[in-house]
Amino acid sequence: MIFGKAVTTVKKPAIRKVRTDAALRPLHHRLAPERVHEIPLRTTDGVRLGLTRIGSGEEGRPAVLLLHGHTASSNMFLAPEIRNMTDALLDGGYEPWLLDWRGSCRLPYNETAKKYTYDDVALYDIPEAVSFIRRQIGDVPLFAVAHCIGSLTLSMSMTAGLVPGLAGVVSQGVFLTPKLAGRMSLTMSMANELLKNHIDHVPIDLRKVGLWSKYTPLFALASRKADCPDPTCQMLHNSAWGMGASLFVHSHLSDATHDRLAELFGPAPLWIVPHLRRIELAKTVVRWHDSDHRYRTLPQNALDAAGQIDTPVMLLAGSENGLWLDSQKLCHEVLTSRQPQLDVTYKEIPGYGHLDTFLGRGAALDVFGHILDFLDSRR
């Protein structure tokens, strides 16, 4: 009798599922559902974004467009565990509008889909969101409160004349004169060259990628000399996606916010680094696309075109900003010298870092009042 050879089935490792659709991840808030109106917004270059209108129940309130930073989302303005920026605006008599531009972690573009540069955000996302809001609100004043890269790209839109007539702009962290921490500048260049052929983004949630993944060395580096045992916190607070900067003052976060960091932020795409590096070297916001005619509306150098700004601007920054250092103070000095006709003010928040200006448990007392005072003086 001839016996057949036993066949051994080798189980293949599971393939990590990556979102490829543009459906938005949920917003987390404590508002009544009927007050939160999520509006699908597709740009003229075909990218699906998210725009959310927070209903106030009153007609004619001044509108405020909120712009998050790269890899964050509108959730940073809605954090239910603290008195957040949306709460403060509603109580102050304003109607918040929250844009999830293409760098939002509620969207998949940082990990998959078509790559983009900050030119795309400045040319398409922000101006088209502003145009849509204006069609809805009519002659009501429209303000903008922008954080980090949301503010940096807004500065390019403003100097290109693409968002004229805003009633006022609050810029947090960085505006026209980026000044990154010294070691971050060096690390950014080295990391991009060393890693670009191996990975296309830096994750922040070790639970999603697994302990024995190609990203493990990055998490190990982020954990060096870290005071917090949480890998996501180490990646953000101790490393800034492996670039060697700090994104917040740790003690300013509530336990609930700290536990939600992996939900509030997402992976950082490495393919955006060359544009960020060009901006950092120029010490101002510069256009990436030089030969593509679609981007000629944007200035090659936004600082040189700062005279186009037609709205009051408040530059806001924490004194302990471990990412952009004193970029806002520098911006105020440069604009005051070069463009004295502009209405530009500077406010420094003692003891605050970068993200905690919006996510800190005491931000409502220490930060939001300055923003509302500025808006009230211009409404």
Side-chain angles (χ1 to χ4, degrees):
M1 185 175 180
I2 300 175
F3 294 89
K5 186 179 293 185
V7 177
T8 303
T9 302
V10 179
K11 187 177 181 180
K12 295 182 179 180
I15 298 175
R16 184 172 67 91
K17 294 182 179 179
V18 177
R19 285 194 312 145
T20 57
D21 65 286
L24 285 155
R25 288 192 174 106
L27 282 171
H28 294 283
H29 57 82
R30 59 170 180 268
L31 298 166
E34 62 272 15
R35 300 184 67 183
V36 181
H37 309 284
E38 294 200 59
I39 304 162
L41 180 66
R42 189 173 293 276
T43 61
T44 52
D45 69 332
V47 176
R48 163 72 186 273
L49 309 178
L51 185 62
T52 305
R53 183 178 193 171
I54 308 298
S56 62
E58 297 179 15
E59 295 294 329
R61 284 189 171 206
V64 181
L65 173 62
L66 296 170
L67 299 172
H68 60 79
H70 201 174
T71 90
S73 75
S74 291
N75 276 313
M76 69 175 288
F77 302 115
L78 288 165
E81 66 273 11
I82 61 172
R83 176 171 169 78
N84 54 61
M85 189 72 245
T86 298
D87 293 333
L89 289 171
L90 288 170
D91 291 345
Y94 297 90
E95 181 179 78
W97 289 73
L98 296 78
L99 175 66
D100 280 282
W101 51 273
R102 64 189 73 194
S104 169
C105 65
R106 294 184 66 211
L107 291 161
Y109 307 128
N110 292 323
E111 299 176 77
T112 59
K114 184 180 179 181
K115 297 177 182 179
Y116 60 88
T117 69
Y118 296 135
D119 290 358
D120 297 300
V121 184
L123 182 63
Y124 297 110
D125 299 12
I126 295 174
E128 293 182 20
V130 167
S131 295
F132 180 91
I133 294 170
R134 281 188 164 138
R135 290 196 296 271
Q136 307 307 307
I137 66 175
D139 295 332
V140 172
L142 173 61
F143 295 88
V145 175
H147 170 71
C148 194
I149 297 297
S151 171
L152 184 147
T153 50
L154 175 61
S155 76
M156 180 69 93
S157 300
M158 293 169 67
T159 54
L162 296 175
V163 286
L166 293 173
V169 168
V170 176
S171 159
Q172 202 294 119
V174 64
F175 192 56
L176 280 171
T177 56
K179 183 180 177 183
L180 287 168
R183 63 173 180 164
M184 184 173 180
S185 176
L186 177 61
T187 305
M188 185 166 55
S189 298
M190 294 177 61
N192 185 58
E193 290 302 316
L194 293 172
L195 299 175
K196 65 182 181 181
N197 294 325
H198 303 283
I199 61 175
D200 59 4
H201 64 273
V202 178
I204 63 167
D205 193 346
L206 185 60
R207 296 167 299 182
K208 287 186 177 180
V209 299
L211 182 59
W212 306 110
S213 73
K214 59 184 177 182
Y215 304 107
T216 299
L218 295 177
F219 282 94
L221 285 173
S223 69
R224 293 183 66 247
K225 299 182 180 180
D227 296 327
C228 179
D230 182 77
T232 297
C233 180
Q234 292 169 358
M235 188 62 80
L236 296 174
H237 174 252
N238 200 45
S239 178
W241 297 279
M243 300 300 179
S246 179
L247 296 181
F248 51 84
V249 175
H250 196 273
S251 61
H252 285 173
L253 299 190
S254 70
D255 290 342
T257 302
H258 186 275
D259 292 343
R260 294 180 59 226
L261 286 174
E263 172 193 329
L264 289 165
F265 302 94
L270 282 181
W271 38 258
I272 202 71
V273 170
H275 192 188
L276 186 59
R277 179 61 173 156
R278 180 183 289 187
I279 288 170
E280 195 275 333
L281 289 173
K283 304 302 180 187
T284 186
V285 188
V286 291
R287 190 177 68 202
W288 176 257
H289 296 279
D290 291 326
S291 57
D292 192 327
H293 71 277
R294 293 175 299 172
Y295 300 92
R296 289 178 185 169
T297 303
L298 302 175
Q300 288 186 323
N301 183 310
L303 186 59
D304 289 344
Q308 296 294 320
I309 296 175
D310 64 349
T311 183
V313 178
M314 182 172 79
L315 304 170
L316 184 71
S319 64
E320 306 304 316
N321 193 318
L323 177 64
W324 297 107
L325 303 180
D326 60 346
S327 293
Q328 297 292 64
K329 182 179 180 181
L330 173 64
C331 187
H332 182 253
E333 293 172 352
V334 171
L335 290 180
T336 300
S337 173
R338 294 189 184 183
Q339 305 287 348
Q341 79 282 3
L342 298 182
D343 182 356
V344 181
T345 57
Y346 170 63
K347 182 63 184 179
E348 185 173 288
I349 310 299
Y352 273 73
H354 186 50
L355 293 171
D356 42 317
T357 51
F358 286 109
L359 286 170
R361 55 188 166 191
L365 293 174
D366 300 328
V367 183
F368 298 166
H370 299 295
I371 296 175
L372 288 169
D373 286 346
F374 173 82
L375 300 180
D376 290 346
S377 68
R378 270 76 181 181
R379 63 185 295 176

